[in-house]
């Protein structure tokens, strides 16, 4: 029996990685029927299961299931419980969580880059990955094997792998390395169909070769970050960027975080601020940061650093791409001046000496914080490396009919933003030796 179960586990993972799970269960099986023929994965929450978090609870909206059903990712969701059944101990459970997280990430990348059938939804759409990941974390939460597991640790393994955190650069010499991050959709309580163009753009770019304007080749690698304060408190940004800021085959030659910003315009943010100040805006779990414009706070777990960090991206060349959207350098900040009375001041020309950060160019929310955290780490590990933050335009064009998930205008806008992200990165001027040779 032990050999049979081990063989079943290996076969299930291998089938997933090969992308042939479409026949694992009948196509008519509903994705949210979580048992999948496995009594250890309950179709309804077990009595001892923790309540669904705010993100998972949104799966009750039938439109969220449609993102999986209509994208071609439902094969993973149907087969995941069968693989869980094949695990026979905690070590295999950990391996399985990582392997299936990687399989989901790779399937989403392949889908975005049209190497995998995309279903009825556009290939560039980032929403299927988001909602399928949440559904699979729900399956993990309902799993009750006969051996002890750490559900929190298993979800963390699955999440990191499904976000690309362990999918790095190839070790090919002579190719520049550009490392980028995007974000999950957010604002889903008011519009559950919302996408995030930064996520769509980086899925399209991950693993791709681009030719920089100086003629040199560059490989792009990406991660997708959650819109959750707690994950930032726990160091997900540092885990994502750290391996690419130290010498070796994973060292980057340029880093930039990317997020959705302002209507109708790209902005390269000149300054990232140390503070959180976005309340009453909540994250995807409904959590507040605890900081406002009048009373900014420093994020838990954030190491010492300056109040503001200036971008070192080659903004002069990256802003030459002006179509179809303008690309601007945003030098605005909000600060509490050193000689002031504690009153926040908006400045268009950057911070003044000795001031306290309230908001960077990207505000006081997680888009600003990913820029600050990644570049604070860059100052420690690779201070001469180009690094900063790019805000995309707001993605518009969702249809007014609430039962429709996409529309031609939405798809055109999503494609245009993603294509321009690529062109902005192509405009980066990278000087000096490769990161693999950095002392």
């Amino acid at each position: 029996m032990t050999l049979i179960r081990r063989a079943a586990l290996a076969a299930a993972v291998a089938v997933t990685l090969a992308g042939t799970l479409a026949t694992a269960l009948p196509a008519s099986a509903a994705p949210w029927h979580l048992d999948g023929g496995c009594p250890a994965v309950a179709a309804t929450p077990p009595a001892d299961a923790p309540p669904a978090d705010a993100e998972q609870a949104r799966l009750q909206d039938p439109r969220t299931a449609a993102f999986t059903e209509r994208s071609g990712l439902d094969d993973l969701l149907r087969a995941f419980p069968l693989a869980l059944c094949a695990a026979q101990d905690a070590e295999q459970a950990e391996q399985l969580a990582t392997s299936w997280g990687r399989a989901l990430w790779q399937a989403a990348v392949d889908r975005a880059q049209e190497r995998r059938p995309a279903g009825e939804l556009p290939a560039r759409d980032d929403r299927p990955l988001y909602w399928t990941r949440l559904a699979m974390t729900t399956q993990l939460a309902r799993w009750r094997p006969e051996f002890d597991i750490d559900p929190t640790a298993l979800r963390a393994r699955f999440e990191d792998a499904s976000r690309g955190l362990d999918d790095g650069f190839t070790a090919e010499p002579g190719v520049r390395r550009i490392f980028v991050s995007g974000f999950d959709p957010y604002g889903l309580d008011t519009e559950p169909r919302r996408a995030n163009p930064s996520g769509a753009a980086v899925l399209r770019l991950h693993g791709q070769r681009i030719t920089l304007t100086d003629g040199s080749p560059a490989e792009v690698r990406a991660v997708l970050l959650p819109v959750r304060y707690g994950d930032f408190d726990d160091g997900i940004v540092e885990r994502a960027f750290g391996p690419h800021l130290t010498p070796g085959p994973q060292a980057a030659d340029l880093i930039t975080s990317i997020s959705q910003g302002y209507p109708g315009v790209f902005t390269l943010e000149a300054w990232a601020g140390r503070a959180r100040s976005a309340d009453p805006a909540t994250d995807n779990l409904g959590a507040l940061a605890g900081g406002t414009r009048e009373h900014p706070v420093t994020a838990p777990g954030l190491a010492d650093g300056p109040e503001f960090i200036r971008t070192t991206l080659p903004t002069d060349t990256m802003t030459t791409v002006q179509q179809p959207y303008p690309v601007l350098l945003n030098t605005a900040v909000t600060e509490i001046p050193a000689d002031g009375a504690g009153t926040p001041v908006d400045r268009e020309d950057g911070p003044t000496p000795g001031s306290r950060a309230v908001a960077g160019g990207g505000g006081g929310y997680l888009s600003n914080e990913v820029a600050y955290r990644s570049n604070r780490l860059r100052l420690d590990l690779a201070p001469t490396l180009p690094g900063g933050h790019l805000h995309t335009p707001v993605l518009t064009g969702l249809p007014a009919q609430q039962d429709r998930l996409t529309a031609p205008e939405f798809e055109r806008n999503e494609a245009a933003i993603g294509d321009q992200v690529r062109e902005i990165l192509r405009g980066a001027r990278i000087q000096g030796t490769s990161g693999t040779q950095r002392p």
Side-chain angles (χ1 to χ4, degrees):
M1 182 63 70
T2 296
L3 291 177
I4 292 173
R5 290 172 67 91
R6 285 179 177 170
L9 174 65
V13 172
V15 167
T16 304
L17 297 177
T20 58
L21 284 174
T23 59
L25 284 178
S28 60
W32 306 150
H33 292 175
L34 300 180
D35 55 354
C38 171
V41 182
T44 57
D48 61 342
D53 63 35
E55 283 187 292
Q56 293 169 330
R58 296 188 187 102
L59 293 169
Q60 299 303 313
D61 187 323
R63 290 171 296 179
T64 66
F67 285 114
T68 297
E69 294 169 342
R70 295 171 55 187
S71 67
L73 296 183
D74 54 337
D75 53 357
L76 291 128
L77 190 58
R78 293 197 306 269
F80 190 34
L82 299 180
L84 293 175
C85 280
Q88 65 171 2
D89 56 37
E91 182 180 358
Q92 287 190 357
E94 292 171 356
Q95 295 171 353
L96 186 147
T98 299
S99 296
W100 280 71
R102 288 173 182 161
L104 175 58
W105 170 252
Q106 191 59 55
V109 170
D110 288 344
R111 184 181 180 280
Q113 298 178 17
E114 301 179 82
R115 294 189 296 269
R116 174 188 172 99
E120 302 169 46
L121 295 174
R124 293 172 182 254
D125 201 333
D126 66 308
R127 297 171 294 176
L129 170 59
Y130 175 75
W131 292 110
T132 305
R133 181 193 298 115
L134 279 176
M136 292 175 77
T137 64
T138 302
Q139 291 174 323
L140 269 176
R142 295 181 181 181
W143 184 32
R144 290 297 180 271
E146 296 178 355
F147 51 87
D148 291 336
I149 57 171
D150 182 340
T152 301
L154 286 181
R155 177 169 178 174
R157 280 176 168 269
F158 176 82
E159 287 247 4
D160 277 8
S162 70
R163 296 180 176 281
L165 264 70
D166 60 354
D167 189 2
F169 293 103
T170 61
E172 186 174 342
V175 177
R176 293 291 192 178
R177 295 171 174 86
I178 296 175
F179 185 72
V180 301
S181 67
F183 271 110
D184 285 346
Y186 62 97
L188 301 169
D189 286 330
T190 56
E191 176 50 270
R193 299 175 300 163
R194 189 168 282 138
N196 192 321
S198 71
V202 303
L203 284 173
R204 186 77 172 177
L205 281 166
H206 179 71
Q208 292 290 300
R209 292 284 179 87
I210 62 175
T211 301
L212 305 181
T213 51
D214 65 3
S216 60
E219 178 185 351
V220 182
R221 289 282 162 171
V223 294
L224 262 177
L225 298 173
V227 184
R228 298 191 298 239
Y229 284 117
D231 292 74
F232 274 55
D233 296 346
D234 292 338
I236 192 170
V237 174
E238 290 79 2
R239 293 202 316 277
F241 281 86
H244 307 294
L245 292 170
T246 53
Q250 291 304 312
D253 296 297
L254 180 146
I255 63 166
T256 187
S257 46
I258 307 173
S259 65
Q260 180 175 236
Y262 311 102
V265 64
F266 279 92
T267 55
L268 284 159
E269 305 302 338
W271 298 96
R274 185 171 174 81
R276 289 178 177 175
S277 58
D279 290 358
T282 58
D283 68 6
N284 275 351
L285 290 175
L288 293 167
T292 65
R293 175 182 169 89
E294 290 71 27
H295 301 285
V297 299
T298 300
L302 190 57
D304 291 342
E307 288 294 305
F308 291 96
I309 299 176
R310 188 178 181 93
T311 185
T312 53
L313 290 173
T315 57
D316 55 339
T317 57
M318 295 175 77
T319 53
T320 60
V321 182
Q322 293 292 321
Q323 294 293 332
Y325 299 96
V327 183
L328 308 177
L329 176 63
N330 180 23
T331 58
V333 299
T334 304
E335 65 174 15
I336 297 175
D339 56 355
T343 301
V345 175
D346 297 323
R347 298 184 57 89
E348 294 298 320
D349 55 352
T352 56
S355 66
R356 182 183 178 190
V358 176
Y365 194 50
L366 290 172
S367 58
N368 169 78
E369 188 169 327
V370 68
Y372 185 89
R373 283 182 177 271
S374 59
N375 283 280
R376 192 214 61 78
L377 191 63
R378 176 184 59 78
L379 291 178
D380 282 350
L381 301 177
T384 63
L385 190 79
H389 187 81
L390 173 67
H391 265 123
T392 76
V394 174
L395 177 56
T396 59
L398 281 172
Q401 300 92 327
Q402 288 296 307
D403 61 337
R404 292 178 56 198
L405 304 183
T406 188
E409 180 186 0
F410 172 83
E411 294 174 23
R412 286 193 301 269
N413 293 342
E414 188 171 51
I417 292 171
D419 289 345
Q420 195 165 349
V421 169
R422 181 188 183 99
E423 292 306 304
I424 292 168
L425 293 179
R426 286 189 66 245
R429 182 184 63 249
I430 303 176
Q431 299 175 336
T433 60
S434 170
T436 58
Q437 300 171 343
R438 196 166 55 238

